[in-house]
Amino acid sequence: MLGKKSIRINGADCGVEALLLGAITSIGGFLFGYDTGQISGMLLFRDFKDRFGQVDTPEGRDFRPIIQSLLVSLMSIGTLFGALSASYTADWWGRRKSLTFGVGIFIIGNVIQITAMNHWVHMMMGRFVAGLGVGNLSVGVPMFQSECSPREIRGAVVASYQLMITFGILIANLVNYAVRQIEDSAASWRIVIGLGIAFSLPLGLGILLVPESPRWLAARSRWDEARISLARLRGMKNDPHHQLVEDDMHEMKGILEKERAVGVGSWAECFVPKPNGVPKQVYRTMLGIALHFLQQWTGVNYFFYYGATIFESAGIEDPIQTQLILGAVNVACTFYGLYVVEKYGRRWPLLIGAIWQAAWLAVFASMGTALDPENNRTSGILMIVSAAMFIASFAATWGPICWVVIGETFPLRTRAKQASLATAGNWLGNFMISFLTPLATDGIGYAYGFVFVATNIAGALLVYFFLYESVSLSLENVDMMYSQPDLKPWTSKKWMPPGYVTRMTRDEDFFHHDRAHHASGVDDLDDRTTAVPSGRPSRAVDDEKKADSVTGLGATESREERVNRAV
């Protein structure tokens, strides 16, 4: 039976259900990648172009650049809106039901696409609706994973979301490669889209079998359920009062006591500085948005949305096969990225990755501009090598680590809203790439790559000057780190929270002493600036406020006494 046994991974006690949760939720990333990868090959299918193209050519119909832009990019607009709405569904229904809802919307969008007959607007609207579902999942999955995973493996678990994105792209390329033999038939692109529905079902149904987020439950004063959830995730379902569970509960409870005293975060708080006790709240909002916007503007989807078209114009005999090679490089190097994110942290891999990517994009753009690859085989080969080296770096650094950062940087008070905004920044960048690429390549050709050289350099500067190192810290201690007034991002890796010998090792004497004082009514956590739940206050706290207004207790009773009574 699940939950009976604890498995030791990277020094953390993990339950089978924690591993199952990580595997199931990562399917959300697979759907993201699959939908990204499928359109690149579909744009080359003869039947797809004959049905939805606008321009008659000797070879058949083809797309106008502006229509091709809209067909590809409207999915990204859908994902942007889906990402913004995810903060509401995740808070209203819980993290699990919100993900099931996202899968349902994704399936509806795919059905609309499959039923398209002869008009590109029908196909475009189907991609828009599917994008709503993918956007919902792109916020919900990393947030759910980061709230449920033990801190010792949180980075690798959340990075698995990016790993599954790369798998999705690779599988889409394989399917495109397999069905191109029947590209003259509508079955070619309908099979590609229909398989997306089949791939989504394990997520929509399987997510209901794993525990709900303990932090979401605790934020609603459902403490017994939160304890059981923590115990199941730690592999201690039959021992919910185990010392490890008690430590996790105590740390989370101390945080939530202060959170409830502060109140509920609004959208305005994400952008307007407010003395609410949450450190660098607006700073972290803008950092998350900028990182995820620049993740797309590294140029990765320049290759994955339009790679087949780009390499076909470069004279490559089999552009879909080339795309398949790039997809395989993407998957292989993302496995290495799971190791990198825990071994080397967040800052240095992102910094080095951005510089490496800028260098190879400069080679790609220089060769394509100086020597016409259609008439120069050496130029074409070097461009493919450059693209592969760029993707290798992205897969090991900016791909997975940006999703890790979004899951652990924000305070719980506004986490869902800030994660939605950061992911919306990702999809805004995604939309701009998918919309502008056909127009830019039609105008300036391969010189478009120099734009991505500049954006990668901008990403390196952003990471160095603004991103704090959060490797191996609990979500609560990440929040504490951002509250240190004299700590700079470039020295943040040396910072350790109170009560820890290293970032991986607790001082048990400190925590036992802290629990003893907490049990006797002394709050040793008052000097900690903490996160606040993104959901609504619990009914117990609402009732408490009403009682205070009637009885006048609020004027005479201390905050600690009121909070302890509510919790």
Side-chain angles (χ1 to χ4, degrees):
M1 187 173 180
L2 290 178
K4 281 187 176 180
K5 190 175 180 180
S6 176
I7 302 171
R8 198 86 171 163
I9 301 177
N10 199 28
D13 288 290
C14 304
V16 174
E17 285 175 286
L19 303 180
L20 182 64
L21 183 148
I24 290 174
T25 52
S26 293
I27 298 173
F30 180 91
L31 299 180
F32 177 177
Y34 187 81
D35 214 89
T36 298
Q38 70 181 24
I39 192 64
S40 179
M42 283 165 50
L43 288 172
L44 300 181
F45 290 166
R46 186 74 268 154
D47 183 80
F48 191 82
K49 291 196 288 189
D50 287 344
R51 285 175 181 270
F52 306 116
Q54 301 80 43
V55 180
D56 290 319
T57 69
E59 294 79 24
R61 303 187 81 188
D62 209 340
F63 293 100
R64 292 196 187 101
I66 185 65
I67 301 301
Q68 187 179 29
S69 295
L70 289 171
L71 192 63
V72 175
S73 64
L74 254 289
M75 180 200 165
S76 300
I77 290 295
T79 52
L80 192 155
F81 286 114
L84 291 174
S85 68
S87 67
Y88 292 105
T89 59
D91 283 345
W92 291 340
W93 304 330
R95 309 319 193 205
R96 297 184 308 163
K97 292 180 181 177
S98 176
L99 294 179
T100 298
F101 172 77
V103 169
I105 298 298
F106 174 77
I107 290 174
I108 291 171
N110 276 11
V111 169
I112 294 173
Q113 291 178 71
I114 290 173
T115 57
M117 296 301 293
N118 294 301
H119 207 289
W120 65 271
V121 175
H122 189 157
M123 175 62 68
M124 180 185 70
M125 292 311 299
R127 286 183 57 76
F128 173 80
V129 174
L132 291 173
V134 172
N136 180 287
L137 297 174
S138 67
V139 171
V141 169
M143 181 167 58
F144 187 43
Q145 289 177 328
S146 64
E147 289 184 350
C148 293
S149 301
R151 63 186 175 83
E152 297 90 342
I153 61 169
R154 186 180 66 238
V157 170
V158 179
S160 68
Y161 179 73
Q162 176 65 26
L163 175 64
M164 293 304 289
I165 291 176
T166 66
F167 262 117
I169 293 172
L170 178 61
I171 296 301
N173 291 333
L174 281 169
V175 174
N176 281 334
Y177 189 75
V179 301
R180 67 177 182 163
Q181 303 298 328
I182 55 170
E183 66 171 316
D184 293 329
S185 165
S188 57
W189 54 270
R190 285 188 171 132
I191 288 173
V192 175
I193 297 170
L195 284 173
I197 297 176
F199 293 141
S200 70
L201 294 177
L203 172 60
L205 300 177
I207 196 67
L208 300 176
L209 302 177
V210 299
E212 180 57 270
S213 163
R215 285 182 173 84
W216 184 83
L217 293 167
R220 283 147 184 81
S221 286
R222 293 160 62 175
W223 291 103
D224 289 340
E225 294 174 71
R227 178 185 296 279
I228 293 299
S229 178
L230 276 173
R232 290 171 65 185
L233 292 168
R234 284 291 192 179
M236 299 168 183
K237 182 177 181 179
N238 296 329
D239 187 12
H241 293 278
H242 188 280
Q243 192 59 60
L244 185 59
V245 178
E246 289 291 341
D247 286 344
D248 289 342
M249 283 289 292
H250 170 69
E251 192 168 8
M252 185 168 63
K253 199 167 194 175
I255 297 303
L256 289 174
E257 288 175 355
K258 286 184 176 290
E259 291 167 355
R260 287 176 171 148
V262 176
V264 178
S266 65
W267 284 101
E269 277 182 48
C270 298
F271 295 103
V272 181
K274 184 178 179 181
N276 57 10
V278 180
K280 290 186 172 69
Q281 191 168 15
V282 177
Y283 176 107
R284 289 189 267 177
T285 299
M286 303 312 296
L287 176 63
I289 292 172
L291 269 177
H292 269 262
F293 181 82
L294 287 172
Q295 188 208 41
Q296 291 302 308
W297 274 91
T298 55
V300 65
N301 281 334
Y302 170 60
F303 294 106
F304 285 132
Y305 278 137
Y306 296 107
T309 305
I310 292 167
F311 291 120
E312 184 180 51
S313 67
I316 305 301
E317 292 182 7
D318 194 338
I320 294 182
Q321 189 178 59
T322 302
Q323 197 77 341
L324 192 57
I325 293 170
L326 296 182
V329 170
N330 195 24
V331 171
C333 292
T334 303
F335 275 107
Y336 179 61
L338 301 185
Y339 169 78
V340 166
V341 71
E342 294 296 0
K343 177 67 175 178
Y344 302 107
R346 285 52 162 158
R347 281 176 48 83
W348 279 107
L350 287 174
L351 183 63
I352 295 170
I355 295 171
W356 177 272
Q357 288 154 201
W360 282 106
L361 282 165
V363 173
F364 178 91
S366 298
M367 291 303 299
T369 305
L371 298 172
D372 182 7
E374 191 169 359
N375 300 314
N376 189 302
R377 179 174 173 80
T378 302
S379 176
I381 292 173
L382 188 55
M383 288 175 70
I384 293 175
V385 172
S386 301
M389 297 301 286
F390 163 82
I391 287 171
S393 172
F394 179 87
T397 58
W398 279 77
I401 295 176
C402 281
W403 292 109
V404 173
V405 168
I406 200 178
E408 63 189 15
T409 298
F410 305 129
L412 189 55
R413 173 182 175 85
T414 45
R415 179 174 301 146
K417 292 181 177 67
Q418 287 173 297
S420 294
L421 290 167
T423 309
N426 185 289
W427 290 114
L428 177 62
N430 193 308
F431 165 73
M432 292 176 66
I433 292 293
S434 56
F435 182 78
L436 293 174
T437 293
L439 305 177
T441 52
D442 189 50
I444 61 175
Y446 298 109
Y448 187 40
F450 290 119
V451 174
F452 299 121
V453 173
T455 51
N456 275 277
I457 293 172
L461 294 173
L462 176 74
V463 168
Y464 184 79
F465 287 107
F466 296 101
L467 180 66
Y468 286 72
E469 182 56 76
S470 53
V471 64
S472 299
L473 293 176
S474 70
L475 298 182
E476 290 76 21
N477 286 331
V478 169
D479 207 51
M480 193 190 307
M481 176 177 63
Y482 274 92
S483 73
Q484 307 303 307
D486 299 324
L487 186 67
K488 303 300 182 185
W490 49 90
T491 61
S492 58
K493 188 173 183 178
K494 300 177 181 178
W495 181 84
M496 278 186 292
Y500 283 81
V501 180
T502 69
R503 285 192 171 190
M504 295 289 288
T505 309
R506 285 174 169 173
D507 181 346
E508 293 302 327
D509 290 339
F510 176 91
F511 277 89
H512 292 159
H513 173 76
D514 190 44
R515 276 194 299 274
H517 275 260
H518 184 78
S520 64
V522 178
D523 189 357
D524 281 348
L525 298 173
D526 271 347
D527 61 341
R528 299 189 185 185
T529 306
T530 59
V532 185
S534 56
R536 303 178 183 278
S538 69
R539 183 169 296 176
V541 177
D542 288 338
D543 292 343
E544 171 203 357
K545 291 179 180 177
K546 292 177 184 176
D548 285 352
S549 66
V550 173
T551 64
L553 284 175
T556 60
E557 194 175 24
S558 72
R559 177 176 65 80
E560 286 80 11
E561 289 172 331
R562 292 200 308 274
V563 170
N564 284 332
R565 178 164 49 78
V567 176

